[in-house]
Amino acid sequence: MRLVRVLVVDDSVTIRAMMRQVLESDPEIRIAGMAGSADEAERLLDETLVDVITLDVEMPGRSGLDYLQDLRRRRPTPVIMLSSYTARGEEMRAEALLMGAAACFNKANAMREREKLIRLVKDAAHRESRLDREDVAAVAAAAAALRAAE
């Protein structure tokens, strides 16, 4: 059994601790690092191998979406956006998926929907993430809006 190594990027110490508790409740997942900012995550990624990155949207300094865009250009590592701003129906969810996030998850539900979050992380690590119909429709609408704005 190969462990899934996760880098958790969130400015909240409480959320990072919760993510460790939730994700490491599965014996196939290990937290490889925790960062409170995009800059700290960059330093950790330079020295740590990870299979998946969980990334908050709002952080001091560079936002999670800006960092996602940068990550997608430079690294193939799947990124799961964790934020209430990326909940179902939120515009930022479609934007994050359009920018290359493997998945989005409302971190307010991390404890209640632990198994779903664990499945998302494992699927992303094994490159098996799939968008559901609602997300596909939202991404298509966001892409169409971008094209119309050009």
Side-chain angles (χ1 to χ4, degrees):
M1 166 183 75
R2 186 175 156 290
L3 290 177
V4 173
R5 299 162 302 196
V6 180
L7 172 62
V8 175
V9 185
D10 196 295
D11 59 313
S12 167
V13 173
T14 303
I15 295 297
R16 290 194 307 263
M18 178 186 67
M19 292 303 298
R20 178 183 294 279
Q21 179 185 0
V22 167
L23 295 176
E24 287 191 341
S25 70
D26 186 290
E28 296 176 15
I29 297 177
R30 284 295 164 261
I31 301 301
M34 297 182 131
S37 68
D39 291 338
E40 189 178 349
E42 273 304 296
R43 287 190 294 278
L44 284 170
L45 286 170
D46 286 341
E47 57 196 42
T48 308
L49 291 174
V50 301
D51 301 301
V52 178
I53 299 167
T54 65
L55 181 58
D56 186 17
V57 170
E58 283 201 349
M59 296 184 296
R62 191 161 38 158
S63 79
L65 286 179
D66 288 342
Y67 187 46
L68 170 65
Q69 198 166 29
D70 187 39
L71 280 168
R72 298 312 311 148
R73 280 193 300 265
R74 297 181 300 108
R75 298 179 190 270
T77 310
V79 177
I80 298 174
M81 299 304 293
L82 291 179
S83 174
S84 58
Y85 294 113
T86 58
R88 289 224 174 265
E90 294 291 333
E91 187 176 315
M92 203 172 287
R93 180 185 185 96
E95 186 178 346
L97 293 169
L98 192 59
M99 293 170 70
C104 295
F105 189 83
N106 185 346
K107 67 183 173 185
N109 299 333
M111 297 298 278
R112 184 173 47 255
E113 297 181 9
R114 168 188 310 247
E115 293 306 315
K116 182 177 179 181
L117 177 57
I118 287 169
R119 174 58 32 219
L120 281 175
V121 167
K122 287 180 174 182
D123 286 350
H126 299 110
R127 309 301 199 267
E128 296 173 356
S129 296
R130 301 285 182 266
L131 298 182
D132 62 23
R133 287 183 180 168
E134 186 178 342
D135 282 340
V136 169
V139 169
L146 281 176
R147 284 192 300 277
E150 291 176 345

